[in-house]
Amino acid sequence: MNLLILGSGGREHALAWKLSQSDKIENLYIAPGNAGTATVGTNIPVESSDFDEIKMWVVEKEIDLVVVGPEIPLVNGIVDFFYGDPILKTVPIIGPDKKAAQLEGSKDFAKQFMHRYNIPTAKYKTFTSQTLNEGYQFLDSLTPPFVLKADGLAGGKGVLIVDNPEDAKAEFKEMLTGSKFGEASQKVIIEEFLDGIELSVFVITDGKNYKILPEAKDYKRIGENDTGKNTGGMGAISPVSFANKEFMLKVQNQIIEPTLAGLQNDGLQYKGFIFFGLMNVNGSPYVIEYNCRLGDPEAEAVIPRIKSDMIDLLEGVVQGNLNEKQLIIDDRYTATVVLVSAGYPEKYETGKAISGLNNLTNCILFYAGVSNDIDENIYKTSGGRVIAVTAYGNTMEEALKTSYENIAQIQFDGKTFRQDIGFDLK
Ligand code: AMP
Ligand code: GLY
């Protein structure tokens, strides 16, 4: 089959790496892809937000299946665009439709959904600029820290956690009446702070049947010991030590199954990946957020642990018989450490030559911000997150050791990474 993956990050390189290994693949295309996806498939120069251009390529390359990596095209309705187009409607696409993608696109929608189906999550209320005073009163009724969330997509930056009530009120007002997050903060959710440890759980579903993929822990902060600014993700570990059978059974019974039943009850069309961002509070799982896609960098740790043919699983999603497919998981640990540009997540420089890529052993590189300068025959940095280095191990420590040994071989001006990925799982 001819397959098209949409997106350009490390997650899409991991998807392309895995899907290219299937015997069922004839041609693999990635739009727009990056220097890494170009090593396992053919990049197509079109942004995943340009639906008309995508249609042209789907027709020209006789695409049989489309996998959507990032959230923006999903939240903007790419699945509805396919279903509603006389030519594209016969081309299966992996991802929820626009309405179902609101689970990620609107935190208020997600909260109402969880409330309706009794899915454990932090207590909350939603406010607009018309209800500022009610918001202040609600803040007064809570104990610090205060959690403020922009309703819409804000590139992972729409959540503020504030210790002091005065600051919380000022931020709350700024979100609703200032330009802090633009349209994303026309509604603001104030919620109870959950004190616990986070993990990411992924499910693949055909809308009815589902399979739980390996879980992962992601490290979002730039600094060691989870300090400093939030980033797109500095590393990931899979499996997660505290996600034992007992805990995962709670996740399945209290969160995954009610979510799928709720989607069906609400008539929401969901064929794709569901990402449950969870908090483990003293052994009880709570949903912090839903995402309608795989996580990045979690995908770079999770996908290498899937042993089964992933095309076979995706065919199950399309055909609605995922229950007949087999998901085989590698028992080993994976550790993913992300190399970023100096200054990230704030201002950083790009165009730095990357060396040492040929000296690596026992690791898999997933490229994010890497470009291939064909004239100079050299790879260069082209983004904040540059390369995810994933290694396997029989223990988390072993996987991390191999990952860090390989990282020592890779050089570029300003190479920055966290030395403590997995620190809270030891
Ligand atoms: P989100 O974009 O909803 O994933 O939130 C970003 C980050 O804020 C999460 O990964 C958590 O670390 C933190 N966070 C969000 N909601 C809460 C909450 N209710 N209690 C504690 N931390 C939270
Ligand atoms: N790693 C978190 C995310 O992909 O949103």
Side-chain angles (χ1 to χ4, degrees):
M1 76 158 61
N2 296 333
L3 180 82
L4 172 64
I5 299 172
L6 301 183
S8 63
R11 167 184 49 214
E12 286 74 26
H13 187 187
L15 280 166
W17 168 83
K18 175 68 183 167
L19 292 165
S20 69
Q21 294 167 26
S22 170
D23 294 338
K24 298 184 181 186
I25 289 278
E26 274 170 69
N27 295 294
L28 173 61
Y29 300 96
I30 309 93
N34 62 32
T37 60
T39 63
V40 289
T42 306
N43 286 348
I44 289 178
V46 50
E47 288 302 322
S48 54
S49 52
D50 192 342
F51 298 176
D52 288 321
E53 275 278 302
I54 290 169
K55 174 178 172 179
M56 216 187 70
W57 285 97
V58 167
V59 173
E60 182 174 322
K61 299 295 182 190
E62 298 177 6
I63 299 297
D64 301 298
L65 178 65
V66 179
V67 179
V68 187
E71 64 278 18
I72 291 178
L74 292 166
V75 172
N76 288 341
I78 193 163
V79 170
D80 310 63
F81 179 78
F82 271 64
Y83 291 161
D85 184 277
I87 297 171
L88 295 182
K89 69 179 179 202
T90 57
V91 183
I93 178 162
I94 303 291
D97 72 6
K98 187 171 183 171
K99 187 91 198 288
Q102 289 295 298
L103 280 185
E104 174 162 5
S106 163
K107 291 191 190 289
D108 181 50
F109 178 95
K111 281 293 205 178
Q112 289 189 33
F113 177 90
M114 287 185 262
H115 194 67
R116 202 157 51 247
Y117 294 108
N118 262 324
I119 295 166
T121 187
K123 286 199 199 72
Y124 82 107
K125 277 193 180 159
T126 302
F127 301 93
T128 65
S129 55
Q130 314 298 312
T131 52
L132 267 182
N133 286 331
E134 286 90 330
Y136 296 147
Q137 283 167 20
F138 188 57
L139 283 168
D140 283 333
S141 75
L142 298 174
T143 46
F146 305 97
V147 183
L148 307 174
K149 298 188 172 185
D151 175 54
L153 288 185
K157 299 184 181 71
V159 176
L160 299 178
I161 298 183
V162 187
D163 286 323
N164 165 314
E166 295 320 311
D167 292 348
K169 285 179 188 168
E171 291 285 7
F172 171 65
K173 183 171 178 205
E174 170 66 16
M175 284 172 94
L176 281 172
T177 59
S179 55
K180 189 146 190 161
F181 300 106
E183 267 190 37
S185 63
Q186 281 184 348
K187 286 186 197 168
V188 170
I189 286 98
I190 300 179
E191 70 178 36
E192 164 198 35
F193 180 81
L194 296 173
D195 195 5
I197 179 163
E198 288 181 68
L199 84 157
S200 308
V201 170
F202 303 95
V203 156
I204 183 170
T205 180
D206 60 15
K208 194 171 64 231
N209 308 293
Y210 69 91
K211 298 218 181 274
I212 305 179
L213 303 177
E215 78 285 351
K217 180 140 202 327
D218 141 40
Y219 294 82
K220 287 198 176 85
R221 304 292 198 92
I222 186 72
E224 266 137 37
N225 278 314
D226 283 346
T227 52
K229 291 232 151 139
N230 260 329
T231 70
M234 299 295 291
I237 298 286
S238 181
V240 177
S241 51
F242 62 80
N244 55 23
K245 275 212 173 84
E246 189 191 350
F247 181 80
M248 288 306 288
L249 203 61
K250 290 184 195 165
V251 172
Q252 191 172 354
N253 292 334
Q254 298 171 18
I255 292 170
I256 297 174
E257 301 218 332
T259 297
L260 283 157
L263 287 169
Q264 284 188 55
N265 195 54
D266 288 355
L268 297 173
Q269 166 90 269
Y270 208 118
K271 283 178 173 286
F273 299 101
I274 312 179
F275 167 161
F276 300 86
L278 304 180
M279 187 75 87
N280 173 359
V281 183
N282 297 323
S284 296
Y286 287 77
V287 178
I288 293 213
E289 63 167 352
Y290 287 112
N291 293 313
C292 57
R293 52 173 172 91
L294 289 175
D296 192 347
E298 290 98 320
E300 292 95 302
V302 166
I303 290 175
R305 293 192 58 221
I306 299 175
K307 283 176 146 179
S308 330
D309 183 337
M310 218 166 146
I311 288 285
D312 195 42
L313 291 166
L314 295 180
E315 283 177 337
V317 170
V318 170
Q319 289 155 8
N321 61 352
L322 189 58
N323 53 324
E324 293 165 22
K325 306 292 182 183
Q326 238 196 338
L327 171 64
I328 306 166
I329 294 174
D330 195 321
D331 287 335
R332 289 177 297 173
Y333 282 77
T334 46
T336 299
V337 181
V338 181
L339 303 183
V340 305
S341 301
Y344 175 78
E346 296 185 80
K347 242 178 89 180
Y348 56 83
E349 291 177 5
T350 57
K352 310 289 182 193
I354 307 171
S355 63
L357 296 172
N358 298 326
N359 310 336
L360 309 177
T361 44
N362 296 325
C363 74
I364 317 169
L365 296 186
F366 295 118
Y367 291 175
V370 178
S371 64
N372 187 357
D373 191 324
I374 296 174
D375 293 341
E376 292 183 43
N377 193 20
I378 195 171
Y379 285 118
K380 289 186 172 173
T381 65
S382 65
R385 285 193 287 178
V386 178
I387 305 178
V389 182
T390 296
Y392 294 101
N394 290 321
T395 60
M396 178 178 79
E397 286 76 8
E398 202 180 288
L400 280 164
K401 183 164 175 280
T402 310
S403 186
Y404 283 120
E405 280 167 3
N406 281 290
I407 283 173
Q409 305 295 319
I410 303 174
Q411 301 304 336
F412 60 86
D413 186 17
K415 177 180 98 175
T416 303
F417 60 99
R418 269 179 66 167
Q419 316 250 9
D420 70 339
I421 298 304
F423 77 99
D424 51 353
L425 297 176
K426 286 179 181 157

